[in-house]
């Protein structure tokens, strides 16, 4: 008696030639031609999710380009730093994270003779964070973990999870819920699993497989006015006071949101310098005005709550 194992035959695809010339001065025209070709030859653009899928693909590619650029810059800085260390006989401090060392080198070069003061300041900040149990955020305002890395803006969180080369999308398990996430490979323990720092908009979250060697996640925050301190509960927290938002992205926000973000950034800088926030300054101005209008009253014991 012959026993037949289950066999799933994959649908056969038809390959059709596509010919177009990329003009580097006008890449969008090339993309338009490619999309029109796909629209003629497939049913992709008949699906309701096409815009969401294409946006997810664009975000995934953009994230990969940004990650490659960050790695390139880190290698350049590491090469320069290694050369300087060999020439000067200066040993690096192992207690400073790689991302923190990079910022120290950049600021030292810019400050010239004041470089030593910048290094000392960064080392003190790093020690203070260690005492508090906080981590210095990476260049993407997130954290590089052992099995994955994440970066964030006020609106989104992007996660990159390396997987074995040649991994197929059908082997990936990805569950994104409002307050919980689970990502991994079928038949294996999850690579990333736990309760999220804050809730996300599930319908605006995506995942994709990059070059069959990394899973890219895009999580859209529910509260887009707060920086995440960690990805999932139980993991190290970052020091959100050291988050550095990209000024270029402020122009993409609507006026009301931009005003709120700029106020948050100003208050954050004021707190770092031990100065009053915008709300505290406003209360002080109100009190001064009231005192000027009522000189007969005694304000020697007046306090602002």
């Amino acid at each position: 008696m012959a026993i037949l194992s289950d066999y799933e035959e994959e649908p056969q695809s038809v390959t059709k030639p596509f010919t177009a010339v990329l003009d580097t001065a006008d890449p969008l025209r090339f993309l338009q031609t490619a999309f029109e070709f796909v629209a003629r030859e497939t049913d992709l653009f008949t699906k309701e999710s096409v815009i969401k899928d294409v946006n997810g693909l664009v975000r995934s590619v953009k994230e990969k380009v940004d990650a490659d650029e960050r790695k390139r810059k880190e290698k350049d800085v590491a090469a320069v730093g290694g050369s300087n260390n060999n020439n000067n006989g200066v040993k690096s401090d192992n207690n400073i994270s790689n991302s923190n060392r990079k910022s120290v080198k950049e600021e030292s070069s810019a400050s010239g003779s004041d470089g030593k003061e910048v290094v000392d300041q960064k080392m003190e900040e790093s020690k203070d964070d260690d005492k508090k149990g906080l981590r210095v955020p990476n260049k993407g305002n997130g954290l590089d973990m052992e099995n994955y890395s994440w970066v964030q803006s006020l609106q989104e969180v992007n996660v990159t999870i390396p997987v074995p080369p040649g991994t197929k999308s059908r082997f990936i398990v990805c569950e994104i819920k409002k307050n919980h996430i689970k990502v991994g490979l079928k038949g294996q323990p999850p690579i990333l699993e736990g309760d999220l720092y804050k809730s996300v908009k599930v319908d605006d979250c995506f995942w994709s497989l990059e070059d069959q060697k990394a899973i890219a996640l895009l999580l859209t925050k529910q509260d887009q006015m707060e920086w995440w301190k960690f990805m999932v509960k139980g993991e190290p927290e970052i020091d959100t006071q050291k988050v550095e938002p990209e000024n270029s992205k402020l122009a993409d926000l609507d006026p009301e949101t931009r005003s709120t973000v700029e106020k948050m950034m100003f208050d954050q800088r004021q707190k770092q310098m031990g100065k009053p926030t915008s709300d505290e300054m406003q209360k002080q101005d109100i009190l001064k005005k009231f005192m000027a209008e009522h000189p007969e009253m005694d304000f020697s014991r007046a306090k602002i709550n």
Side-chain angles (χ1 to χ4, degrees):
M1 180 178 67
I3 300 177
L4 300 178
S5 60
D6 293 337
Y7 175 72
E8 181 179 351
E9 182 178 357
E10 296 188 2
Q12 296 182 351
S13 60
V14 179
T15 304
K16 295 190 177 184
F18 170 71
T19 304
V21 178
L22 172 61
D23 181 2
T24 55
D26 188 11
L28 291 179
R29 179 65 61 86
F30 178 84
L31 288 177
Q32 180 180 355
T33 303
F35 285 150
E36 291 175 351
F37 176 80
V38 172
R40 289 196 305 270
E41 302 297 337
T42 71
D43 61 348
L44 176 63
F45 281 81
T46 63
K47 300 178 181 179
E48 294 183 358
S49 62
V50 60
I51 296 179
K52 185 181 296 185
D53 295 339
V54 171
N55 285 340
L57 178 61
V58 172
R59 291 177 186 273
S60 175
V61 174
K62 180 66 166 63
E63 179 185 344
K64 183 177 184 299
V65 171
D66 292 343
D68 291 342
E69 180 65 15
R70 285 198 299 271
K71 291 179 181 178
R72 184 188 67 79
K73 291 182 178 179
E74 289 173 358
K75 287 182 180 178
D76 292 343
V77 172
V80 174
S83 176
N84 291 338
N85 287 341
N86 291 334
N87 294 334
N88 300 328
V90 179
K91 296 182 180 180
S92 61
D93 187 347
N94 293 329
N95 292 327
I96 303 177
S97 66
N98 290 333
S99 60
N100 200 25
R101 266 203 303 271
K102 179 183 176 185
S103 61
V104 169
K105 291 173 183 174
E106 291 174 345
E107 294 184 20
S108 297
S109 300
S111 59
S113 61
D114 296 332
K116 185 178 182 302
E117 296 180 3
V118 175
V119 172
D120 293 341
Q121 180 182 355
K122 287 294 182 180
M123 292 178 64
E124 289 300 323
E125 291 178 355
S126 179
K127 292 178 181 178
D128 290 340
D129 286 337
D130 290 340
K131 293 178 181 179
K132 299 175 185 177
L134 301 178
R135 299 283 186 87
V136 176
N138 58 25
K139 287 300 179 181
N141 298 324
L143 201 59
D144 298 324
M145 305 298 295
E146 182 178 356
N147 297 326
Y148 73 95
S149 64
W150 62 279
V151 297
Q152 65 172 322
S153 64
L154 277 174
Q155 295 80 27
E156 303 168 348
V157 176
N158 291 278
V159 187
T160 301
I161 306 175
V163 293
T167 298
K168 303 293 184 182
S169 58
R170 62 177 177 271
F171 297 141
I172 296 175
V173 176
C174 183
E175 299 177 1
I176 303 175
K177 298 181 180 180
K178 184 177 180 180
N179 296 296
H180 191 86
I181 191 170
K182 178 181 179 181
V183 186
L185 301 176
K186 290 182 179 178
Q188 299 183 22
I191 302 174
L192 171 62
E193 182 179 21
D195 293 332
L196 297 169
Y197 174 72
K198 286 294 180 69
S199 59
V200 297
K201 299 179 181 179
V202 178
D203 292 339
D204 294 331
C205 297
F206 311 93
W207 72 269
S208 62
L209 180 62
E210 292 187 351
D211 300 331
Q212 297 184 336
K213 61 182 181 180
I215 303 172
L217 302 175
L218 168 67
L219 308 178
T220 302
K221 297 179 180 179
Q222 191 79 38
D223 180 2
Q224 301 190 346
M225 289 290 113
E226 181 180 3
W227 297 105
W228 282 20
K229 295 182 179 180
F230 51 82
M231 182 65 194
V232 296
K233 292 182 179 178
E235 293 188 342
E237 294 187 14
I238 64 170
D239 186 352
T240 53
Q241 290 189 353
K242 290 183 171 57
V243 165
E244 298 179 0
E246 297 182 25
N247 294 330
S248 59
K249 292 188 176 182
L250 289 176
D252 299 334
L253 303 175
D254 60 84
E256 183 178 356
T257 304
R258 177 172 180 173
S259 176
T260 302
V261 173
E262 289 177 339
K263 179 178 179 296
M264 291 172 57
M265 294 169 60
F266 173 80
D267 289 344
Q268 179 176 308
R269 289 193 298 267
Q270 291 292 99
K271 288 180 179 180
Q272 290 177 346
M273 295 184 293
K275 296 181 179 180
T277 63
S278 55
D279 290 337
E280 292 170 345
M281 293 171 63
Q282 184 179 10
K283 291 178 181 178
Q284 290 176 356
D285 290 340
I286 293 175
L287 179 58
K288 289 179 180 178
K289 183 178 180 181
F290 185 81
M291 290 171 62
E293 293 176 349
H294 300 276
E296 74 281 0
M297 298 180 65
D298 181 14
F299 295 94
S300 59
R301 297 184 181 181
K303 294 182 179 180
I304 301 177
N305 297 322

